[in-house]
Amino acid sequence: MTSHNHSKSSIKHVAIIMDGNGRWAGKRGRSRVWGHIRGSRNVTNIVEDAVQLGLKSLTLYTFSTENWSRPLTEVNTIFKLLKKFLVGERKRILKNHIRFRIIGDISSLSEKTRKIITDLESETKKSEGLNLTLAFGYGGRSEIVKSVNKFIEKNPCKHISEEELASYLMTPDCGDVDLMIRTGGDRRISNFLLWQMAYAELFFTSTMWPDFTSTEFRNIIESVSQRERRFGFIGSTENLQKSADQAVLNKRKFVEKAGE
Ligand code: FPP
């Protein structure tokens, strides 16, 4: 499939909760750390697929604020894997014109890793390919609160609108999430991209993240696009937003009428 075909797909922004590394390793009698190593290898594959599919944005949950409760050796491994991923993927990221970004709180990472991140972010700032965002030390509620506070700092005593809030989020140019996939069998959103997922299709698979293949990824996108096409006009995120806006207008008219 060419990226040309897929640019017509209604799925532009995919978000993934990459769950199940620990259990995957446990089933094989290996340590959780091993699961994360294999999991991070799979990130490379799925990013490559997202590029080939012509997606506009891919946002991956790499480390949540809740993950801080894990044993420190495990946390340390994930930090190290992030650094390794960045160093290893740099060339490919540049070659594929990927715009790279990390959202969340990276203050706990080493200075060296933070520099690798900021360098790669600024190097790819103008890239026009896939928006690749890693959510690290990220929480959805915290993102919303931070955005509102930033707005208040600039606009004291003003009320914030939905559009303004959206423009103050950490990924204002990635748009709403069209499809959220969670591997590992749990059916939760876990504080991921709460605002952006308001109209997202949700897909939960029992596949553990290290086993999540290109084929499954492509099949999910294909079946969700078909689901959307069936719903036609009201199906896409954009149109859902439009009908939500229409509902607000209708309600206003109705209330006006009732008051006459
Ligand atoms: C969930 O597995 C996964 C995470 C907590 C983090 C995701 C991390 C990776 C995919 C590896 C790091 C990748 C990069 C690019 C830095 P889990 O431990 O919650 O699995 P479990 O539910 O089976 O315990």
Side-chain angles (χ1 to χ4, degrees), residues 194-213:
L194 293 179
W195 182 274
Q196 298 87 332
M197 272 201 234
Y199 297 102
E201 293 278 344
L202 307 178
F203 198 101
F204 301 96
T205 168
S206 55
T207 306
M208 300 291 146
W209 175 251
D211 279 339
F212 187 71
T213 59

Side-chain angles (χ1 to χ4, degrees), residues 18-23 32 36 39-40 43 61-62 67 70 74 78 81-82 85 209:
M18 308 179 289
D19 202 6
N21 294 340
R23 278 166 290 160
R32 297 180 56 81
H36 292 311
S40 70
V43 174
Y61 214 172
T62 312
N67 287 151
R70 305 236 168 150
E74 188 177 338
I78 297 178
L81 284 172
L82 173 67
F85 175 83
W209 175 251

Side-chain angles (χ1 to χ4, degrees), residues 26-229:
K27 255 191 240 157
R28 287 159 181 78
R30 306 291 290 258
S31 69
R32 297 180 56 81
V33 163
W34 171 250
H36 292 311
I37 293 171
R38 294 299 293 264
S40 70
R41 262 193 232 165
N42 205 27
V43 174
T44 303
N45 298 338
I46 296 300
V47 169
E48 183 76 41
D49 288 326
V51 169
Q52 279 180 20
L53 289 165
L55 293 182
K56 181 173 179 275
S57 307
L58 178 70
T59 307
L60 303 173
Y61 214 172
T62 312
F63 192 77
S64 70
T65 36
E66 288 78 18
N67 287 151
W68 274 114
S69 60
R70 305 236 168 150
L72 274 183
T73 46
E74 188 177 338
V75 171
N76 224 338
T77 305
I78 297 178
F79 284 13
K80 278 194 193 142
L81 284 172
L82 173 67
K83 187 174 164 212
K84 201 171 160 216
F85 175 83
L86 298 174
V87 173
E89 292 302 304
R90 190 177 167 277
K91 267 196 190 148
R92 231 191 307 248
I93 286 176
L94 295 175
K95 191 184 113 223
N96 285 320
H97 310 286
I98 290 175
R99 181 170 180 201
F100 173 81
R101 200 158 25 185
I102 290 205
I103 57 170
D105 179 8
I106 58 164
S107 61
S108 46
L109 294 174
S110 70
E111 208 184 321
K112 213 170 160 188
T113 309
R114 287 200 313 262
K115 179 150 172 25
I116 295 173
I117 292 170
T118 47
D119 284 352
L120 196 53
E121 283 178 338
S122 53
E123 247 181 311
T124 63
K125 213 180 173 114
K126 297 213 164 72
S127 301
E128 304 218 316
L130 175 76
N131 285 311
L132 173 63
T133 308
L134 301 186
F136 195 93
Y138 171 89
R141 286 185 174 175
S142 157
E143 179 186 20
I144 294 172
V145 170
K146 277 186 190 153
S147 310
V148 172
N149 285 336
K150 246 197 286 172
F151 176 85
I152 295 172
E153 267 171 36
K154 288 200 182 156
N155 307 278
C157 302
K158 255 191 79 183
H159 283 178
I160 191 166
S161 68
E162 288 188 14
E163 291 74 21
E164 280 165 332
L165 177 38
S167 76
Y168 275 79
L169 293 172
M170 291 166 174
T171 54
D173 43 358
C174 292
D176 276 352
V177 172
D178 299 301
L179 165 64
M180 193 283 291
I181 301 170
R182 180 177 187 139
T183 62
D186 286 332
R187 299 166 69 88
R188 290 192 293 273
I189 290 176
S190 300
N191 203 16
F192 190 34
L193 301 173
L194 293 179
W195 182 274
Q196 298 87 332
M197 272 201 234
Y199 297 102
E201 293 278 344
L202 307 178
F203 198 101
F204 301 96
T205 168
S206 55
T207 306
M208 300 291 146
W209 175 251
D211 279 339
F212 187 71
T213 59
S214 297
T215 311
E216 185 170 3
F217 187 39
R218 284 162 194 257
N219 285 344
I220 292 172
I221 292 180
E222 186 58 32
S223 74
V224 173
S225 312
Q226 266 165 15
R227 206 194 288 173
E228 294 225 316
R229 273 200 289 277

